[in-house]
């Protein structure tokens, strides 16, 4: 149980203003949104699109902020299901929870059609916590209506949607963030600073995982109730068929309440879980869009009618000359260690954020160590102060950005795009049996060929220099080999002549 943070109205103002001050120093302010920029004492009104399971935590956090600061309020809700007390979610359950009168004064803001909330001029911000296939459409419509957007992860359902959403954010100048909780953890930005300063040498590989287990099957623990029927669920709106979001199909309680199990609405562990880990890992490493991605795995045990695999691994290669590995199964919860490997040292991140991370040095010599000789023990420990609650920290920073018009939220749209593009290429690779390249300039995706390996082999033959991650400030630190003296004896013998004679 996390401690309730003691935040006064004054502290809240100072916290939400911090982002503005930092942005002003580096000149990153966006143009104001539609309407006047809100002052420090103006209340921000929030509309909730999709008050399902995850959104209940947002309702709790926003309720606390309203109580403690009086500067934020939930004034509207949209859900396609009436809801009930048994499942503890849905439209009317959530309206009651936040104190809205669905039958009286607030009934015009309690709706199953999200467009009604976007038309409401009193709403400044929307939270989008719907199934994945609705994220892009709702985000775009909201920003076109002059609303700032807090969108739950993953940012979108497809790569193309993500690319277009970047364009929408840049065009509308609305403040947009993706709700990846771990981006509120200061370790990742702290680690990035150390990486760009050369503290671990040339970055080689990042590794993360998200292992789970359940006797009923992943996401089947979302309860089905008898009163989930076509009378209480706007199934047509849930599907979004009229908007080209999902194919038409008969109503099914499982496909509604356990939608993460089906490709039409989500991407299983790839998009629901991998995005959590990948986002903070690439933030720390200093990479964004990959160049080549391959996905492996399959549906090996959870034979319960689902589409999505129960074992999966994604490997992403980057132009910066490094690699990311993300792996999981939903049928065993023993984790892989979370590490970033450099030529000179290794960063190991504790599973408990408050325990920080360590940097353990590599012992470089002319001979490699045998397998198992180095398990990353010891090293220097770093432990930046953690927020009391990650979701609350995301909201406080985001609301500060909304006030200041600072686009640099804790998880801005470009970072969300990089994460969803990577895992979605993993899905595409898994389902189609191919490796894929992504063109960073136009977002196009093509089947991989021999060009990737040939590129690096050519650089080796030309005795090139390594490519570094974003923000690198350390020159050639930890990035070059020290050839042994006898390496001068290498080289092709031409016409019987020893190359060593001409070294």
């Amino acid at each position: 149980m996390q401690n309730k943070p003691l935040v006064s109205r004054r502290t809240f103002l100072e916290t939400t203003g911090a982002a503005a001050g930092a942005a002003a120093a580096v000149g990153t302010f966006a143009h104001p949104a539609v309407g006047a920029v809100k002052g420090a004492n103006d209340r921000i009104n929030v509309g909730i699109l999709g008050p399902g399971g995850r959104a209940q935590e947002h309702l709790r956090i926003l309720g606390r902020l309203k109580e403690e600061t009086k500067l934020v309020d939930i004034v509207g809700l949209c859900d396609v299901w009436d809801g009930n007390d048994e499942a503890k979610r849905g439209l009317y359950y959530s309206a009651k929870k936040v104190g809205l009168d669905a039958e009286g004064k607030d009934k015009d803001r309690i709706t199953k059609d999200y467009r009604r909330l976007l038309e409401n001029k009193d709403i400044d911000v929307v939270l989008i916590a719907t199934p994945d296939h609705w994220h892009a459409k709702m985000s775009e419509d909201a920003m076109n209506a002059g609303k700032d957007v807090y969108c739950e992860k993953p940012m979108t359902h497809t790569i193309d949607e993500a690319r277009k959403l970047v364009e929408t954010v840049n065009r509308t100048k609305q403040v947009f963030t993706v709700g990846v909780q771990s981006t509120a953890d200061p370790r990742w930005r702290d680690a990035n600073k150390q990486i760009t300063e050369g503290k671990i040498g040339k970055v080689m590989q990042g590794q993360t995982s998200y292992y789970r287990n359940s006797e009923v099957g992943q996401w089947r623990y979302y309860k089905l109730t008898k009163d989930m029927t076509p009378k209480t669920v706007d199934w047509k709106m849930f599907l979004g068929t009229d908007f080209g979001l999902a194919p038409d199909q008969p109503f099914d309680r499982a496909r509604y309440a356990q939608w993460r199990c089906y490709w039409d609405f989500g991407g299983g562990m790839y998009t629901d879980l991998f995005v959590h880990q990948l986002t903070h890992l690439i933030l720390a490493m200093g990479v964004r869009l990959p160049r080549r991605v391959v996905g492996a795995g399959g549906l090996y045990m959870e034979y319960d009618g689902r589409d999505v695999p129960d074992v999966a691994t994604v490997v992403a290669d980057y132009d910066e000359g490094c690699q990311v590995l993300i792996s999981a199964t939903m049928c065993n919860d023993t984790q892989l260690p979370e590490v970033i490997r450099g030529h000179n040292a290794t960063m190991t991140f504790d599973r408990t954020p408050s325990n920080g991370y360590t940097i353990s040095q590599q012992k470089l010599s002319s001979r490699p160590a045998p397998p198992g000789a180095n398990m990353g023990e010891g090293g220097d420990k770093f432990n930046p102060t953690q927020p009391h609650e990650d979701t609350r920290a995301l909201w406080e920073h985001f609301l500060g950005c909304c006030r200041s018009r600072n686009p640099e939220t804790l998880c801005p749209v470009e970072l969300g795009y990089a994460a969803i593009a990577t895992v979605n290429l993993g899905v595409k690779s898994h389902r189609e049996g191919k490796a894929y390249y992504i063109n960073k300039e136009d977002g196009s995706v093509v089947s991989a060929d021999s060009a990737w390996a040939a590129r690096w082999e050519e650089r080796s033959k030309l005795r090139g220099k390594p490519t570094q991650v974003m923000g690198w400030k350390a020159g050639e630190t930890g990035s070059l080999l020290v050839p042994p003296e006898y390496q001068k004896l290498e080289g092709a013998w031409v016409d019987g002549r020893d190359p060593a004679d001409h070294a």
Side-chain angles (χ1 to χ4, degrees), residues 297-371:
L299 188 48
Y300 299 150
M301 180 184 147
E302 291 186 324
Y303 301 131
D304 61 359
R306 72 182 58 235
D307 298 337
V308 299
D310 51 30
V311 174
T313 297
V314 173
V315 180
D317 290 314
Y318 294 81
D319 283 329
E320 290 81 0
C322 58
Q323 182 183 81
V324 163
L325 170 71
I326 325 159
S327 190
T329 176
M330 298 294 95
C331 302
N332 182 285
D333 62 8
T334 302
Q335 309 294 318
L336 289 176
E338 192 160 28
V339 300
I340 298 174
R341 297 180 174 92
H343 180 55
N344 286 4
T346 302
M347 288 180 162
T348 302
F349 298 87
D350 196 279
R351 288 287 166 185
T352 303
S354 60
N355 290 338
Y357 68 98
T358 59
I359 298 180
S360 55
Q361 298 299 314
Q362 292 279 293
K363 295 178 181 178
L364 297 174
S365 68
S366 60
R367 291 183 177 273

Side-chain angles (χ1 to χ4, degrees), residues 11-23 396-397 399-401 403-404:
T11 303
F12 177 77
L13 287 172
E14 292 171 347
T15 302
T16 56
E396 288 178 341
H397 190 275
L399 293 171
C401 289
R403 293 183 183 284
S404 66

Side-chain angles (χ1 to χ4, degrees), residues 419-481:
I420 193 59
T422 306
V423 298
N424 252 320
L425 284 174
V427 171
K428 186 175 177 66
S429 175
H430 158 71
R431 298 191 73 190
E432 298 178 13
K434 299 177 181 178
Y436 286 100
Y437 292 153
I438 185 168
N439 185 320
K440 297 180 181 180
E441 285 66 45
D442 62 12
S444 60
V445 175
V446 298
S447 296
D449 55 24
S450 62
W452 181 259
R455 167 188 171 185
W456 301 104
E457 291 167 15
E458 180 184 23
R459 183 176 295 194
S460 176
K461 300 298 186 294
L462 295 174
R463 302 302 198 266
K465 297 288 183 69
T467 305
Q468 305 292 0
V469 297
M470 296 164 48
W472 181 263
K473 305 177 182 69
E476 295 178 346
T477 300
S479 301
L480 299 178
L481 298 177

Side-chain angles (χ1 to χ4, degrees), residues 45-51 74-79 91 100 106-128 138 141-142 145-147:
N45 291 328
V46 181
I48 309 294
L49 309 186
I74 297 172
V75 300
L77 290 163
C78 172
D79 199 308
L91 186 61
L100 294 177
D106 300 315
K107 68 178 182 178
D108 290 339
R109 289 178 276 112
I110 310 298
T111 177
K112 292 187 176 182
D113 188 337
Y114 75 100
R115 292 169 294 187
R116 289 178 58 189
L117 294 189
L118 300 187
E119 292 166 357
N120 190 304
K121 301 302 181 184
D122 293 331
I123 293 176
D124 308 299
V125 167
V126 295
L127 164 71
I128 298 172
M138 287 182 170
D141 288 350
K147 316 297 184 187

Side-chain angles (χ1 to χ4, degrees), residues 152-426:
E152 262 299 340
K153 58 81 204 161
M155 189 172 84
T156 61
H157 192 208
T158 70
I159 297 172
D160 193 50
E161 287 174 343
R163 181 185 57 78
K164 291 178 180 176
L165 202 55
V166 173
E167 296 172 355
T168 300
V169 172
N170 291 335
R171 173 177 54 80
T172 64
K173 308 301 181 185
Q174 295 301 136
V175 178
F176 178 92
T177 198
V178 187
V180 179
Q181 293 103 296
S182 62
T183 58
D185 181 344
R187 292 182 300 168
W188 309 110
R189 286 176 173 82
D190 192 72
N192 177 252
K193 182 175 184 295
Q194 302 225 45
I195 285 172
T196 57
E197 291 173 353
K199 297 298 176 58
I200 68 170
K202 170 78 173 84
V203 180
M204 305 304 301
Q205 187 183 65
Q207 170 186 300
T208 189
S209 66
Y210 207 128
Y211 287 88
R212 281 181 169 178
N213 207 352
S214 168
E215 65 180 359
V216 300
Q218 191 64 202
W219 302 298
R220 294 303 189 193
Y221 39 69
Y222 285 107
K223 193 169 188 177
L224 311 183
T225 61
K226 181 70 173 175
D227 61 348
M228 291 176 181
T229 71
K231 290 185 177 180
T232 62
V233 176
D234 187 337
W235 182 238
K236 184 178 181 181
M237 181 61 86
F238 173 84
L239 292 176
T241 305
D242 289 349
F243 305 96
L245 302 182
D248 193 21
Q249 54 200 279
F251 177 75
D252 183 328
R253 290 185 178 95
R255 295 180 78 85
Y256 164 68
Q258 299 164 349
W259 54 267
R260 290 173 177 84
C261 295
Y262 308 99
W263 294 124
D264 286 343
F265 317 118
M269 72 177 85
Y270 290 97
T271 55
D272 198 60
L273 303 180
F274 282 4
V275 163
H276 275 295
Q277 305 302 98
L278 177 66
T279 303
H280 66 234
L281 191 64
I282 62 176
L283 175 62
M285 289 176 65
V287 295
R288 291 298 183 267
L289 281 175
R291 181 65 73 178
R292 183 178 72 165
V293 177
V294 62
L299 188 48
Y300 299 150
M301 180 184 147
E302 291 186 324
Y303 301 131
D304 61 359
R306 72 182 58 235
D307 298 337
V308 299
D310 51 30
V311 174
T313 297
V314 173
V315 180
D317 290 314
Y318 294 81
D319 283 329
E320 290 81 0
C322 58
Q323 182 183 81
V324 163
L325 170 71
I326 325 159
S327 190
T329 176
M330 298 294 95
C331 302
N332 182 285
D333 62 8
T334 302
Q335 309 294 318
L336 289 176
E338 192 160 28
V339 300
I340 298 174
R341 297 180 174 92
H343 180 55
N344 286 4
T346 302
M347 288 180 162
T348 302
F349 298 87
D350 196 279
R351 288 287 166 185
T352 303
S354 60
N355 290 338
Y357 68 98
T358 59
I359 298 180
S360 55
Q361 298 299 314
Q362 292 279 293
K363 295 178 181 178
L364 297 174
S365 68
S366 60
R367 291 183 177 273
N374 184 357
M375 300 303 293
E377 301 96 336
D380 297 323
K381 193 171 186 64
F382 301 88
N383 201 351
T385 303
Q386 291 288 327
H388 288 287
E389 295 178 286
D390 49 16
T391 300
R392 179 176 177 130
L394 290 179
W395 270 107
E396 288 178 341
H397 190 275
F398 172 66
L399 293 171
C401 289
C402 292
R403 293 183 183 284
S404 66
R405 312 315 302 162
N406 171 21
E408 292 301 319
T409 64
L410 291 177
C411 189
V413 68
E414 291 82 6
L415 185 57
Y417 173 30
I420 193 59
T422 306
V423 298
N424 252 320
L425 284 174

